[in-house]
């Protein structure tokens, strides 16, 4: 009973968070002084599309339909919520008409999730190991050097790392491709190899950025836990050093880490969007960028809604892990 | 013990303040004007850091960019921190239903990925996007971080002995907040402010790098964007793309050193108080 209640409360919270998120986007769209329809038509005609007056009027009608701009503000809001929570139908994409937006998004999502999960896990594990060792042996020269490097790497935005990596590994030494081009039939050996080969640079730029953060924070956390009585007692009792490290110190740094992770998921997601754009990696970031370039409003809105759902969903999943990490947290 | 991070960070920030707010006044010609001087010159005595493909002096253009970037960052940092601290204090201090509603809203705002939203705003306002609009959007999405933390600080302070004492002796709510809470919060709020400046700069440069930031006002991000657009990397014009990248790297590291140095310092002071 307790478990079910715990999950249900978190699930309700997830739905409410998504609701607030899409509502904020809705309000924001209405606050922008520019008329999105005229802006889009302007960008189309400036790109050389020639349309007659009748075609323009028709275009305005189609666009105001797509933007959900007819009816009162409450009717608009109602349709908007229906689209976001029930039908997930964001209409056809303008730039690759008549492919539905949901299909384009469906193709991009696995790429983004794959990139994010792989690089977050690698960055987290490596960052934890280095941070833990540096925190437990704070006076070694290597520990100080590691922290020094981390302090310089962490504040750098992913795109600076991406740029640096591509200058070194693509322009100077042609090890990795400048932009991702994946060929081959799905799930053949060639395809898998291609995916890994093309994803290495984007993943590496995210891994390095994340690692910097985890090294700094895990070092601070573990040197704090290290001072605690129970760690000294375990050492005096003759518990093996690797057990002290993993079972006594690492375990007690996990909870604050997970709390921070939950807050940062949105920021990590934003960073990966940019990395994708820079490497033309076929995920959500590149999709929203091409939507912006081509004035594909349906696609833009679709990607934003999916982003909100994805980030809120990830936070929801992280929330669910709390009781596993710290048994003191009961199902509340 | 001297706080190395804080000192180093402050030195870097002071240098950037000089570069951004004093040097632009000495520019020999308008550094943003195109084709004012020869194009693609290498760094030398005449042009310290060379010139761009549009005939702009890289050094003076960079001072101008630093100025705009700093103005944006400081505006967003101050506004978001003030709003966040006020909302967080109110939630933690008033408590009850108000606190629950505000906390829920704060947590939800944190879950909205900022970059896609910023890209959407930029796409719709295309051409008319100014740094002021970027600042407003950044403030709208960055106040929840300080609000969340101030709330938890306020919650724990409320239960402290000295706050009860002030309360019981008939101090007004406002005086309790100003005289009892503020000293605890100021150094922390300062660290947060610097950190928000960092986040704001990262986001502005992020949309600038993909060509979506304000077209009219040059920042470190738009400077990098133009160098990439004109293939400065392939052409080997390292002075053009290298200058904004190096400036960003040093500025970001300086901001991070200052903010983490400030929080180290306030933690150390708190430790000393407890030890006494």
């Amino acid at each position: 009973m307790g478990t079910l209640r715990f999950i249900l409360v978190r699930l309700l919270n997830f739905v409410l968070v998504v609701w607030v998120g899409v509502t904020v986007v809705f309000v924001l769209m209405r606050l922008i002084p520019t008329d999105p329809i005229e802006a889009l038509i302007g960008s189309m005609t400036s790109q050389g599309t020639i349309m007659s007056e009748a075609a323009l009027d028709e275009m305005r009608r189609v666009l105001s339909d797509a933007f959900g701009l007819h009816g009162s503000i409450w009717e608009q809001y109602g349709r908007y919520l229906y689209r976001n929570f029930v039908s997930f139908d964001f209409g056809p994409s303008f730039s690759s008409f008549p492919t539905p937006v949901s299909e384009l998004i469906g193709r991009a999502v696995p790429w983004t999730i794959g990139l994010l999960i792989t690089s977050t896990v690698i960055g987290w594990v490596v960052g934890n190991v280095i941070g833990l060792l540096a925190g437990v042996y704070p006076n070694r020269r290597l520990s100080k050097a590691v922290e020094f490097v981390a302090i310089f790497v962490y504040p750098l935005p992913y795109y600076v790392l991406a740029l640096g990596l591509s200058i070194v590994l693509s322009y100077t030494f042609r090890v990795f491709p400048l932009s991702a081009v994946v060929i081959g039939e799905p799930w053949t050996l060639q395809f898998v190899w291609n995916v890994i080969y093309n994803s290495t640079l984007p993943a590496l730029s995210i891994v390095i950025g994340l690692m910097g953060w985890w090294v700094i924070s895990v070092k601070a956390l573990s040197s704090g836990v290290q001072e605690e009585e129970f760690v000294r007692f375990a050492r005096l009792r003759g518990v093996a050093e690797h057990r002290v490290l993993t079972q006594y110190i690492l375990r007690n740094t996990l909870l604050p880490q997970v709390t921070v992770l939950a807050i940062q998921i949105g920021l990590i997601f934003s960073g990966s969007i940019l990395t994708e754009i820079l490497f033309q990696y076929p995920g959500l970031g590149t999709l929203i960028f091409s939507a912006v370039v081509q004035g594909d409003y349906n696609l833009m809105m679709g990607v934003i809604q999916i982003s909100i759902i994805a980030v809120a969903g990830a936070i929801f999943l992280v929330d669910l892990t709390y009781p596993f990490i710290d048994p003191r947290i009961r199902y509340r | 013990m001297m706080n190395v991070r804080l000192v180093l960070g402050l030195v870097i920030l002071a240098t950037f303040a000089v570069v951004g707010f004093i040097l632009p006044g000495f520019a020999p010609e308008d550094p943003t004007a195109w084709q004012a001087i020869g194009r693609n010159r290498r760094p030398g005595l005449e042009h310290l850091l060379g010139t761009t493909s549009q005939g702009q002096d890289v050094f003076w253009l960079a001072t101008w960019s630093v100025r705009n970037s700093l103005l944006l960052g400081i505006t967003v940092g101050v506004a978001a921190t003030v709003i966040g601290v006020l909302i967080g204090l109110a939630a933690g201090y008033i408590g009850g239903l108000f606190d629950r509603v505000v906390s829920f809203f704060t947590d939800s705002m944190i879950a909205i990925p900022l970059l896609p939203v910023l890209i959407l705003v930029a796409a719709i306002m295309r051409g008319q996007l100014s740094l002021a609009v970027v600042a407003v959007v950044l403030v709208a999405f960055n106040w929840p971080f300080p609000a969340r933390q101030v709330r938890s600080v306020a919650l724990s302070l409320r239960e402290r002995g000295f706050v009860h004492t002030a309360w019981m002796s008939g101090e007004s709510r406002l005086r309790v907040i100003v005289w009892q809470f503020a000293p605890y919060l100021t150094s922390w709020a300062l660290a947060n402010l610097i950190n928000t400046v960092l986040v704001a700069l990262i986001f502005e440069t992020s949309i600038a790098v993909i060509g979506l930031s304000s077209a009219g006002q040059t920042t470190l991000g738009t400077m990098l964007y133009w160098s990439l657009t004109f293939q400065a990397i392939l052409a080997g014009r390292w002075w053009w793309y290298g200058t904004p990248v190096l400036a960003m790297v040093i500025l970001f590291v300086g901001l991070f050193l200052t903010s983490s140095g400030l929080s180290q310092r306030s933690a150390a002071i708190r430790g000393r108080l407890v030890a006494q």
Side-chain angles (χ1 to χ4, degrees):
Chain A
M1 190 54 212
T3 317
L4 191 67
R5 213 182 105 86
F6 173 81
I7 295 175
L8 278 180
V9 169
R10 292 290 184 284
L11 195 64
L12 181 70
N13 196 55
F14 162 66
V15 173
L16 286 174
V17 166
V18 173
W19 170 67
V20 171
V22 295
T23 304
V24 166
V25 171
F26 181 84
V27 172
L28 195 71
M29 301 298 305
R30 299 306 184 276
L31 286 181
I32 295 175
T34 320
D35 180 356
I37 299 179
E38 293 309 320
L40 270 187
I41 291 183
S43 79
M44 277 181 205
T45 44
S46 73
Q47 278 166 16
T49 318
I50 297 161
M51 280 186 279
S52 65
E53 268 309 305
L56 273 179
D57 279 343
E58 176 66 13
M59 195 69 205
R60 285 207 180 88
R61 206 187 54 71
V62 171
L63 281 178
S64 94
D65 212 41
F67 283 68
L69 282 180
H70 49 84
S72 73
I73 190 101
W74 294 109
E75 283 169 32
Q76 293 177 23
Y77 184 55
R79 270 197 311 276
Y80 176 80
L81 286 186
Y82 177 78
R83 206 175 57 190
N84 280 305
F85 280 100
V86 186
S87 68
F88 292 107
D89 175 17
F90 300 103
S93 152
F94 298 150
S95 53
S96 22
F97 197 81
T99 320
V101 164
S102 44
E103 196 183 313
L104 291 176
I105 291 177
R107 254 184 256 157
V109 163
W111 288 94
T112 295
I113 291 183
L115 178 70
L116 268 183
I117 289 184
T118 319
S119 43
T120 308
V121 168
I122 295 177
W124 184 79
V125 170
V126 179
N128 257 286
V129 171
I130 298 177
L132 183 68
L133 291 175
V136 175
Y137 308 108
N139 294 322
R140 301 265 175 99
R141 199 170 288 165
L142 189 64
S143 306
K144 287 183 175 156
V146 160
E147 193 182 21
F148 183 79
V149 172
I151 285 176
F152 273 80
V153 169
Y154 161 64
L156 302 186
Y158 296 153
Y159 63 84
V160 167
L161 296 170
L163 200 66
L165 284 173
S166 64
I167 288 179
V168 174
L169 291 177
S170 297
Y171 284 103
T172 316
F173 307 98
R174 290 158 200 273
V175 186
F176 289 105
L178 258 182
S179 56
V181 183
V182 177
I183 47 169
E185 285 293 300
W187 308 121
T188 59
L189 201 61
Q190 188 204 15
F191 175 80
V192 173
W193 171 243
N194 233 291
V195 169
I196 294 174
Y197 177 65
N198 281 290
S199 310
T200 307
L201 274 196
L204 209 57
S205 66
I206 301 176
V207 165
I208 293 176
L210 285 177
M211 231 169 68
W213 162 255
W214 290 123
V215 168
I216 297 171
S217 73
V218 175
K219 178 176 182 285
L221 286 170
S222 57
S223 63
V225 175
Q226 153 117 307
E227 308 280 307
E228 300 266 352
E229 298 275 302
F230 65 86
V231 175
R232 198 182 313 158
F233 184 66
R235 286 215 168 107
L236 289 177
R237 219 169 45 149
V239 176
E241 187 61 20
H242 71 268
R243 260 184 70 86
V244 174
L245 282 184
T246 54
Q247 298 295 313
Y248 287 74
I249 299 179
L250 182 65
R251 264 202 87 152
N252 281 289
T253 66
L254 279 182
L255 191 68
Q257 283 194 47
V258 171
T259 313
V260 174
L261 180 67
I263 299 175
Q264 286 200 327
I265 288 176
L267 294 177
I268 299 175
F269 183 85
S270 289
S272 80
I273 290 255
L274 197 70
T275 311
E276 287 186 7
I277 297 174
L278 292 175
F279 287 104
Q280 288 157 37
Y281 180 88
L284 286 174
T286 308
L287 196 62
I288 194 172
F289 185 63
S290 70
V292 167
V293 172
Q294 292 161 331
D296 190 340
Y297 182 82
N298 277 355
L299 188 54
M300 268 186 254
M301 287 310 276
V303 175
I304 289 194
Q305 310 310 345
I306 290 298
S307 309
I308 291 173
I309 292 173
V311 172
I315 294 176
F316 164 64
L317 289 179
V318 168
D319 261 0
L320 286 186
T321 63
Y322 273 117
F324 295 102
I325 293 165
D326 191 339
R328 284 171 301 185
I329 293 184
R330 294 272 161 240
Y331 307 118
R332 274 177 291 140
Chain B
M1 199 193 94
M2 202 178 71
N3 191 327
V4 186
R5 284 193 197 181
L6 187 56
V7 173
L8 201 60
L10 285 177
V11 168
I12 294 177
L13 292 194
T15 314
F16 269 90
V18 171
V19 170
F21 295 123
I22 297 178
L23 282 188
F26 293 97
E29 68 276 323
D30 178 9
T32 55
W34 286 20
Q35 317 299 4
I37 42 177
R39 306 188 296 129
N40 299 329
R41 301 251 178 89
R42 294 187 143 267
L45 281 180
E46 203 180 332
H47 300 289
L48 269 181
L49 293 170
T51 64
T52 71
S53 295
Q54 293 115 326
Q56 299 155 302
D57 185 293
V58 170
F59 177 77
W60 294 110
L61 186 63
T63 62
W64 211 255
S65 311
V66 167
R67 173 178 170 270
N68 280 339
S69 290
L70 283 182
L71 279 179
L72 173 91
I74 294 170
T75 313
V76 174
V78 171
T81 307
V82 167
I83 296 174
V85 166
L86 289 180
I87 291 180
L89 265 182
Y93 193 79
I94 298 172
L97 184 67
F98 179 78
D99 177 33
R100 279 211 206 161
V101 172
V102 170
S103 308
F104 169 73
F105 188 65
T106 314
D107 287 354
S108 309
M109 289 294 286
I110 286 176
I112 303 175
L114 175 55
L115 195 65
V117 174
L118 210 51
I119 290 179
L120 179 77
V121 173
I124 289 180
M125 297 202 56
R126 179 157 269 190
Q128 297 163 38
L129 188 71
S130 64
L131 284 184
V133 176
V134 177
V136 170
V137 178
L138 286 174
V139 171
F141 285 89
N142 274 308
W143 64 262
F145 294 91
R148 201 184 147 108
Q149 280 182 302
V150 169
R151 174 187 166 264
S152 62
V153 174
L155 274 181
S156 74
L157 279 179
R158 210 167 56 154
E159 304 305 325
R160 295 283 189 84
F162 63 87
V163 174
H164 280 293
T165 313
W167 219 322
M168 304 282 183
S169 39
E171 290 273 31
S172 73
R173 285 194 165 198
L174 195 67
R175 281 182 65 93
V176 171
I177 290 188
V178 171
W179 294 109
Q180 312 295 335
F181 283 26
Y184 271 79
L185 288 173
T186 40
S187 79
W188 176 84
L190 206 57
N192 180 79
L193 190 152
I194 303 285
N195 195 42
T196 311
V197 174
L198 176 62
V199 173
L201 286 180
I202 288 181
F203 274 102
E204 193 278 330
T205 49
S206 294
I207 55 165
V209 164
I210 49 178
L212 290 177
S213 185
S214 164
Q217 291 138 302
T218 175
T219 62
L220 288 172
T222 50
M223 200 176 158
L224 178 60
Y225 168 72
W226 286 112
S227 75
L228 296 181
T229 309
F230 282 86
Q231 300 297 352
I233 297 184
L234 279 179
R237 301 193 184 106
W238 49 266
W239 58 91
W240 188 6
Y241 68 82
T243 304
V245 168
L246 201 66
M248 280 193 258
V249 168
I250 300 174
L251 177 58
F252 291 170
V253 170
L255 286 166
F256 178 66
L257 285 173
T258 310
S259 123
S260 71
L262 279 172
S263 25
Q264 271 183 347
R265 183 168 155 266
S266 67
I269 292 175
R270 238 177 289 136
R272 224 182 298 144
L273 287 178
V274 171
Q276 282 169 2

